[in-house]
Amino acid sequence: MQQADRIKNLPPYFFAEIDKMINRAKAEGVDVISFGIGDPDQPTPEHIVASMVEAVRDPSTHSYPSYEGLYSYRKAVADWYQERFAVELDPEKEVVSLIGSKEGIAHFPFCYINEGDLALIPDPGYPVYKTAVLLAGGQVETLPLKKENNFLVELDNISKESLERAKLLYLNYPNNPTAALATREFFQKVVKLADRYDIIVAHDSAYSEVYLEEEKPLSFLEIEGAREVGIEFGSLSKSFNMTGWRCGWAVGKEELIESLGRIKTNIDSGIFEAVQKAGITALTSEKTAAAEMRSLYRKRRDRLVTGLKELGWEVSPNQASFYIWAEVPSAYQNGEEFSRKVFQETGVFFTPGIGYGQQGDKYVRLALTVSRERTEEALERLAEGGIFS
Ligand SMILES: *Cc1c(COP(=O)(O)O)cnc(C)c1O
């Protein structure tokens, strides 16, 4: 059978190969400690689970949900934006529910990308931006995120030609995998540029509540004029340990929300209403759960950064997200070589940065989704394995 070109041309999924390697080792009896998992290890907070249980018993949630999401859910998202970012949104026109933010991120290019149209995407970056644009028939140009520039896109380095051609710009702060935060000045520059060159900004805000220092991440929509050029994707996944529930949203310019909603009504039928009701609980209930989540990641980060430093590997502590984006020790060519060596010697796994783009070549990503006990065990094995000596 002949696959369609759009699938044939998709790059192979890098992480599928890695999963194979890890599973092979496990089958051989290796006790793997993986820092590769971008999924919270903690359960969803109990009060959210309880609200889901109640909603599931209510037969009114059992039918097809509304396409755009329950009004009460969209209202909860709008109220949360008001409280958290002082951004006012019309729940009817400026909010749409998503089956997890990935779903919206992946469908969005179908609304605005024609065959051959250009989208600008960060490198390193969440792989979905690229594949979604390619599936829609578009082309991508990567924008390097460099340490010297605090992993912000170097807007001045984008060629005039690319700016004139580009229809869409994906951004993601707090950033996966670099853990960088955007500044207000940066976002202001983005708005200016987008306005001038007529580029739609799609901001992925999946980690907005995963911040480990005082400074709270900004919403792109806080910036004056952002609403005229952009859409922002959000999610309960990382903020409330709800990755399995598939519950997110897109907010922003009415016209963009309407387009995304139109694509979605033709493809999916919305989020299970019981999940939306649990989502309302997550967004409106007391904020202790998110604070506990941050405190847990902060402790793990501090222990890991200190432990690695004692072994002779200095990594920068992440300010936000639950990832440490670490430059590989100079004795190694690149992240792949380093990751392979560490895994073979110790059964500890770090994700090679190249999986997120060319700029990640000299990096590995360490997810803080490993318990304290297992982190101690990993540090011991790294010391015994002589990885840094
Ligand atoms: C996890 C993640 C998402 C997707 O989360 P959903 O579970 O689909 O809401 C989106 N963007 C980035 C950068 C992520 O890491």
Side-chain angles (χ1 to χ4, degrees), residues 62-118:
H62 298 179
S63 320
Y64 279 122
S66 64
Y67 290 111
E68 66 280 7
L70 285 169
Y71 177 78
S72 53
Y73 175 76
R74 287 175 291 142
K75 174 84 165 58
V77 172
D79 289 348
W80 183 77
Y81 255 78
Q82 177 70 58
E83 186 191 320
R84 169 71 173 85
F85 303 112
V87 167
E88 202 177 322
L89 295 166
D90 178 349
E92 287 286 15
K93 294 176 178 157
E94 295 173 319
V95 184
V96 66
S97 70
L98 296 174
I99 311 170
S101 62
K102 181 180 185 180
E103 180 259 303
I105 291 167
H107 279 141
F108 193 58
F110 288 87
C111 306
Y112 290 97
I113 294 290
N114 280 320
E115 200 67 33
D117 281 350
L118 183 67

Coordinates of all heavy atoms in Angstrom, one line a residue, residues 62-118:
H62 N -22.8 12.1 29.8 CA -22.5 11.0 29.0 C -22.7 11.1 27.5 O -22.3 10.3 26.7 CB -23.4 9.8 29.5 CG -23.0 9.4 30.9 ND1 -23.6 8.4 31.6 CD2 -22.2 9.9 31.8 CE1 -23.2 8.3 32.8 NE2 -22.3 9.2 33.0
S63 N -23.4 12.2 27.1 CA -23.6 12.4 25.6 C -22.4 13.1 25.0 O -21.5 13.5 25.6 CB -24.8 13.3 25.5 OG -25.8 13.0 26.4
Y64 N -22.6 13.3 23.7 CA -21.6 14.1 23.0 C -21.4 15.5 23.7 O -22.4 16.1 23.9 CB -22.0 14.4 21.5 CG -21.7 13.2 20.6 CD1 -22.7 12.6 19.9 CD2 -20.4 12.7 20.4 CE1 -22.5 11.6 19.0 CE2 -20.2 11.7 19.5 CZ -21.2 11.1 18.8 OH -21.0 10.1 18.0
P65 N -20.2 15.9 23.9 CA -20.0 17.2 24.5 C -20.3 18.3 23.4 O -20.3 17.9 22.2 CB -18.6 17.2 24.9 CG -17.9 16.1 24.2 CD -18.9 15.2 23.7
S66 N -20.4 19.5 23.8 CA -20.5 20.6 22.8 C -19.1 20.8 22.1 O -18.1 20.5 22.8 CB -20.9 21.9 23.4 OG -20.0 22.3 24.3
Y67 N -19.1 21.2 20.9 CA -17.8 21.2 20.1 C -16.8 22.2 20.8 O -15.6 21.9 20.9 CB -18.0 21.7 18.7 CG -18.7 20.7 17.9 CD1 -20.0 20.9 17.4 CD2 -18.1 19.5 17.5 CE1 -20.7 19.9 16.6 CE2 -18.7 18.5 16.7 CZ -20.0 18.7 16.3 OH -20.6 17.8 15.5
E68 N -17.3 23.4 21.1 CA -16.4 24.4 21.6 C -16.1 24.3 23.1 O -15.2 25.0 23.6 CB -16.9 25.8 21.3 CG -18.2 26.2 22.0 CD -19.5 25.6 21.4 OE1 -19.4 24.8 20.5 OE2 -20.6 26.0 21.9
G69 N -16.8 23.4 23.8 CA -16.5 23.2 25.2 C -17.7 23.8 26.0 O -18.4 24.7 25.5
L70 N -18.0 23.2 27.1 CA -19.0 23.7 28.0 C -18.8 25.2 28.2 O -17.7 25.7 28.4 CB -19.0 23.1 29.4 CG -19.4 21.6 29.6 CD1 -19.0 21.1 30.9 CD2 -20.9 21.6 29.4
Y71 N -19.9 26.0 28.3 CA -19.7 27.4 28.6 C -19.0 27.6 29.9 O -18.1 28.4 30.1 CB -21.1 28.1 28.6 CG -20.9 29.6 28.9 CD1 -20.4 30.5 28.0 CD2 -21.2 30.1 30.2 CE1 -20.2 31.8 28.3 CE2 -20.9 31.4 30.5 CZ -20.5 32.3 29.6 OH -20.2 33.6 29.9
S72 N -19.5 26.8 30.9 CA -18.9 26.9 32.3 C -17.4 26.6 32.3 O -16.6 27.2 33.0 CB -19.6 26.0 33.2 OG -19.6 24.6 32.8
Y73 N -16.9 25.7 31.4 CA -15.5 25.4 31.3 C -14.8 26.6 30.7 O -13.8 27.1 31.2 CB -15.3 24.2 30.5 CG -13.8 23.9 30.2 CD1 -13.0 23.4 31.2 CD2 -13.2 24.2 29.0 CE1 -11.7 23.1 31.0 CE2 -11.9 23.9 28.8 CZ -11.1 23.4 29.8 OH -9.7 23.1 29.6
R74 N -15.3 27.2 29.6 CA -14.7 28.3 29.0 C -14.7 29.5 29.9 O -13.7 30.3 29.9 CB -15.3 28.6 27.6 CG -15.0 27.5 26.6 CD -15.7 27.7 25.3 NE -17.1 27.5 25.4 CZ -18.1 28.1 24.8 NH1 -17.9 29.2 24.1 NH2 -19.4 27.8 25.1
K75 N -15.7 29.6 30.6 CA -15.8 30.7 31.6 C -14.8 30.6 32.7 O -14.1 31.5 33.1 CB -17.2 30.7 32.2 CG -17.5 31.7 33.4 CD -17.9 33.1 32.8 CE -18.5 34.0 33.9 NZ -17.6 34.2 35.1
A76 N -14.6 29.3 33.1 CA -13.5 29.1 34.2 C -12.1 29.4 33.6 O -11.3 30.0 34.4 CB -13.6 27.6 34.6
V77 N -11.9 29.1 32.4 CA -10.6 29.5 31.8 C -10.5 31.0 31.7 O -9.5 31.6 32.1 CB -10.5 28.9 30.3 CG1 -9.2 29.4 29.6 CG2 -10.4 27.4 30.4
A78 N -11.5 31.7 31.3 CA -11.5 33.2 31.2 C -11.3 33.8 32.6 O -10.5 34.7 32.8 CB -12.8 33.7 30.6
D79 N -12.0 33.3 33.6 CA -11.8 33.8 35.0 C -10.4 33.6 35.5 O -9.9 34.4 36.2 CB -12.9 33.1 35.9 CG -14.3 33.6 35.6 OD1 -14.5 34.6 34.9 OD2 -15.2 33.0 36.2
W80 N -9.9 32.4 35.1 CA -8.5 32.1 35.6 C -7.5 33.0 34.9 O -6.6 33.5 35.6 CB -8.2 30.6 35.2 CG -6.9 30.2 35.7 CD1 -6.5 29.8 37.0 CD2 -5.7 30.0 34.9 NE1 -5.2 29.5 37.0 CE2 -4.7 29.6 35.8 CE3 -5.4 30.2 33.6 CZ2 -3.4 29.4 35.3 CZ3 -4.1 30.0 33.1 CH2 -3.1 29.6 34.0
Y81 N -7.7 33.3 33.6 CA -6.9 34.3 33.0 C -6.9 35.7 33.6 O -5.9 36.4 33.7 CB -7.2 34.4 31.5 CG -6.2 33.7 30.6 CD1 -6.2 32.3 30.5 CD2 -5.2 34.4 29.9 CE1 -5.3 31.6 29.8 CE2 -4.2 33.7 29.2 CZ -4.3 32.3 29.1 OH -3.3 31.7 28.4
Q82 N -8.1 36.1 34.0 CA -8.3 37.3 34.6 C -7.6 37.4 36.0 O -6.8 38.3 36.2 CB -9.8 37.6 34.9 CG -10.2 38.8 35.6 CD -9.9 40.1 34.7 OE1 -10.5 40.2 33.7 NE2 -9.0 41.0 35.2
E83 N -7.7 36.3 36.7 CA -7.1 36.3 38.0 C -5.5 36.2 37.9 O -4.8 36.9 38.6 CB -7.7 35.1 38.8 CG -7.2 35.0 40.2 CD -7.6 33.7 40.9 OE1 -8.7 33.2 40.6 OE2 -6.7 33.1 41.6
R84 N -5.1 35.3 37.1 CA -3.7 35.0 37.0 C -2.9 36.1 36.2 O -1.8 36.4 36.5 CB -3.5 33.6 36.4 CG -2.1 33.2 36.0 CD -1.2 32.9 37.2 NE 0.0 32.3 36.7 CZ 1.1 33.1 36.3 NH1 1.0 34.4 36.3 NH2 2.2 32.5 35.8
F85 N -3.5 36.6 35.1 CA -2.7 37.4 34.2 C -3.3 38.8 34.0 O -2.8 39.6 33.3 CB -2.6 36.8 32.8 CG -1.9 35.4 32.8 CD1 -2.7 34.3 32.5 CD2 -0.6 35.3 33.1 CE1 -2.1 33.1 32.4 CE2 0.0 34.0 33.1 CZ -0.7 32.9 32.7
A86 N -4.5 39.1 34.7 CA -5.3 40.3 34.4 C -5.6 40.5 33.0 O -5.5 41.6 32.4 CB -4.5 41.5 35.0
V87 N -5.9 39.4 32.3 CA -6.3 39.4 30.9 C -7.8 39.1 30.8 O -8.2 38.1 31.4 CB -5.5 38.4 30.1 CG1 -6.1 38.2 28.7 CG2 -4.0 38.8 30.0
E88 N -8.5 40.0 30.2 CA -10.0 39.7 30.1 C -10.3 39.0 28.8 O -9.9 39.5 27.7 CB -10.7 41.1 30.2 CG -12.1 41.0 30.6 CD -12.8 42.3 30.7 OE1 -12.1 43.3 31.2 OE2 -13.9 42.4 30.4
L89 N -11.0 37.9 28.9 CA -11.4 37.2 27.7 C -12.9 37.0 27.6 O -13.5 36.8 28.7 CB -10.7 35.8 27.7 CG -9.2 35.8 27.7 CD1 -8.7 34.4 28.0 CD2 -8.7 36.1 26.3
D90 N -13.5 37.0 26.5 CA -14.9 36.7 26.3 C -15.0 35.1 26.1 O -14.5 34.6 25.1 CB -15.4 37.4 25.0 CG -16.8 37.1 24.7 OD1 -17.4 36.1 25.4 OD2 -17.4 37.7 23.9
P91 N -15.6 34.5 27.1 CA -15.6 33.0 27.0 C -16.3 32.5 25.7 O -16.0 31.4 25.3 CB -16.4 32.6 28.2 CG -16.6 33.8 29.1 CD -16.3 35.0 28.3
E92 N -17.2 33.2 25.2 CA -17.9 32.8 24.0 C -17.1 32.9 22.7 O -17.2 32.0 21.8 CB -19.2 33.7 23.7 CG -20.3 33.5 24.7 CD -21.1 32.2 24.4 OE1 -20.6 31.3 23.7 OE2 -22.2 32.1 25.0
K93 N -16.2 33.9 22.7 CA -15.5 34.2 21.4 C -14.0 34.0 21.4 O -13.4 33.9 20.4 CB -15.9 35.6 20.9 CG -17.3 35.8 20.6 CD -17.6 37.2 20.2 CE -19.0 37.4 19.9 NZ -19.5 38.8 20.1
E94 N -13.5 34.1 22.6 CA -12.0 34.1 22.7 C -11.4 32.9 23.4 O -10.3 32.9 23.8 CB -11.6 35.4 23.4 CG -11.9 36.6 22.6 CD -11.6 37.9 23.3 OE1 -11.9 38.0 24.5 OE2 -11.1 38.8 22.6
V95 N -12.3 31.9 23.7 CA -11.8 30.6 24.3 C -12.4 29.4 23.6 O -13.6 29.4 23.3 CB -12.3 30.6 25.8 CG1 -11.7 29.4 26.5 CG2 -11.9 31.9 26.6
V96 N -11.6 28.4 23.4 CA -12.1 27.2 22.8 C -11.4 26.0 23.6 O -10.2 26.2 24.0 CB -11.8 27.0 21.3 CG1 -10.4 26.9 20.9 CG2 -12.6 25.8 20.7
S97 N -12.2 25.0 23.9 CA -11.6 23.9 24.6 C -10.8 23.0 23.7 O -11.1 22.9 22.5 CB -12.7 23.1 25.3 OG -13.4 22.4 24.3
L98 N -9.8 22.4 24.2 CA -8.9 21.5 23.4 C -8.8 20.1 24.1 O -8.8 20.1 25.4 CB -7.5 22.1 23.2 CG -7.4 23.4 22.4 CD1 -6.0 23.9 22.4 CD2 -7.9 23.2 21.0
I99 N -8.6 19.1 23.3 CA -8.4 17.7 23.9 C -6.9 17.6 24.3 O -6.1 16.9 23.7 CB -8.8 16.7 22.9 CG1 -10.2 17.0 22.4 CG2 -8.8 15.3 23.6 CD1 -10.7 16.1 21.3
G100 N -6.5 18.5 25.2 CA -5.0 18.6 25.5 C -4.5 19.7 24.5 O -5.0 19.8 23.4
S101 N -3.5 20.5 24.9 CA -3.1 21.6 24.1 C -2.4 21.1 22.8 O -2.4 21.7 21.8 CB -2.2 22.5 24.8 OG -1.0 21.9 25.3
K102 N -1.8 19.9 22.9 CA -1.1 19.3 21.7 C -2.1 19.2 20.5 O -1.7 19.5 19.4 CB -0.6 17.9 22.1 CG 0.1 17.2 20.9 CD 0.6 15.8 21.4 CE 1.4 15.1 20.3 NZ 1.9 13.8 20.8
E103 N -3.3 18.9 20.8 CA -4.3 18.7 19.8 C -4.5 20.1 19.0 O -4.5 20.1 17.8 CB -5.6 18.3 20.4 CG -6.8 18.1 19.5 CD -7.8 19.3 19.5 OE1 -8.3 19.6 20.6 OE2 -8.0 19.9 18.4
G104 N -4.6 21.2 19.8 CA -4.8 22.5 19.1 C -3.5 22.9 18.4 O -3.6 23.5 17.3
I105 N -2.4 22.7 19.0 CA -1.1 23.1 18.4 C -1.0 22.4 17.1 O -0.5 22.9 16.1 CB 0.1 22.7 19.4 CG1 0.0 23.6 20.6 CG2 1.4 22.8 18.7 CD1 0.9 23.1 21.8
A106 N -1.4 21.1 17.0 CA -1.2 20.3 15.8 C -2.3 20.7 14.8 O -2.0 20.6 13.6 CB -1.3 18.8 16.2
H107 N -3.5 21.1 15.2 CA -4.5 21.4 14.2 C -4.4 22.8 13.7 O -4.9 23.1 12.6 CB -5.9 21.2 14.8 CG -6.4 19.8 14.8 ND1 -7.1 19.2 15.8 CD2 -6.2 18.8 13.9 CE1 -7.4 18.0 15.5 NE2 -6.9 17.7 14.3
F108 N -3.7 23.7 14.4 CA -3.7 25.1 14.1 C -3.2 25.4 12.7 O -3.8 26.2 11.9 CB -3.0 25.9 15.2 CG -3.3 27.4 15.0 CD1 -4.5 27.9 15.1 CD2 -2.2 28.3 14.9 CE1 -4.8 29.3 14.9 CE2 -2.4 29.6 14.7 CZ -3.7 30.1 14.8
P109 N -2.1 24.8 12.3 CA -1.6 25.1 10.9 C -2.6 24.8 9.8 O -2.5 25.4 8.8 CB -0.3 24.2 10.8 CG 0.1 23.9 12.2 CD -1.2 23.9 13.0
F110 N -3.5 23.9 10.1 CA -4.5 23.5 9.0 C -5.4 24.7 8.8 O -6.0 24.8 7.7 CB -5.3 22.3 9.4 CG -4.5 21.0 9.3 CD1 -3.7 20.6 10.4 CD2 -4.5 20.3 8.1 CE1 -2.9 19.5 10.2 CE2 -3.7 19.2 8.0 CZ -2.9 18.7 9.1
C111 N -5.4 25.6 9.7 CA -6.3 26.8 9.6 C -5.6 27.9 8.7 O -6.3 28.7 8.1 CB -6.6 27.4 10.9 SG -7.3 26.3 12.1
Y112 N -4.3 28.0 8.7 CA -3.6 29.1 8.1 C -2.5 28.8 7.1 O -2.0 29.7 6.4 CB -3.1 30.1 9.2 CG -4.3 30.8 9.9 CD1 -4.8 30.3 11.1 CD2 -4.9 31.8 9.3 CE1 -5.9 30.8 11.7 CE2 -6.1 32.4 9.8 CZ -6.5 31.9 11.0 OH -7.6 32.5 11.6
I113 N -2.1 27.5 7.1 CA -1.0 27.2 6.2 C -1.5 26.6 4.9 O -2.2 25.5 4.9 CB 0.0 26.2 6.9 CG1 0.6 26.9 8.1 CG2 1.0 25.7 6.0 CD1 1.6 28.0 7.7
N114 N -1.2 27.2 3.8 CA -1.4 26.6 2.5 C -0.2 25.9 2.0 O 0.9 26.1 2.6 CB -1.8 27.7 1.4 CG -3.3 28.1 1.6 OD1 -4.2 27.3 1.8 ND2 -3.5 29.4 1.4
E115 N -0.3 25.1 1.0 CA 0.8 24.4 0.4 C 2.0 25.3 0.2 O 1.9 26.4 -0.4 CB 0.4 23.8 -1.0 CG 1.2 22.7 -1.5 CD 1.2 21.4 -0.7 OE1 0.1 21.1 -0.1 OE2 2.2 20.7 -0.6
G116 N 3.1 25.0 0.8 CA 4.4 25.8 0.6 C 4.5 27.0 1.5 O 5.5 27.7 1.4
D117 N 3.5 27.3 2.3 CA 3.6 28.5 3.2 C 4.6 28.3 4.3 O 4.9 27.1 4.6 CB 2.2 28.8 3.9 CG 1.3 29.5 2.9 OD1 1.7 30.0 1.9 OD2 0.1 29.6 3.3
L118 N 5.2 29.3 4.7 CA 6.3 29.2 5.7 C 5.8 29.5 7.1 O 5.1 30.4 7.4 CB 7.4 30.3 5.4 CG 8.6 30.2 6.2 CD1 9.4 28.9 6.0 CD2 9.5 31.4 6.0

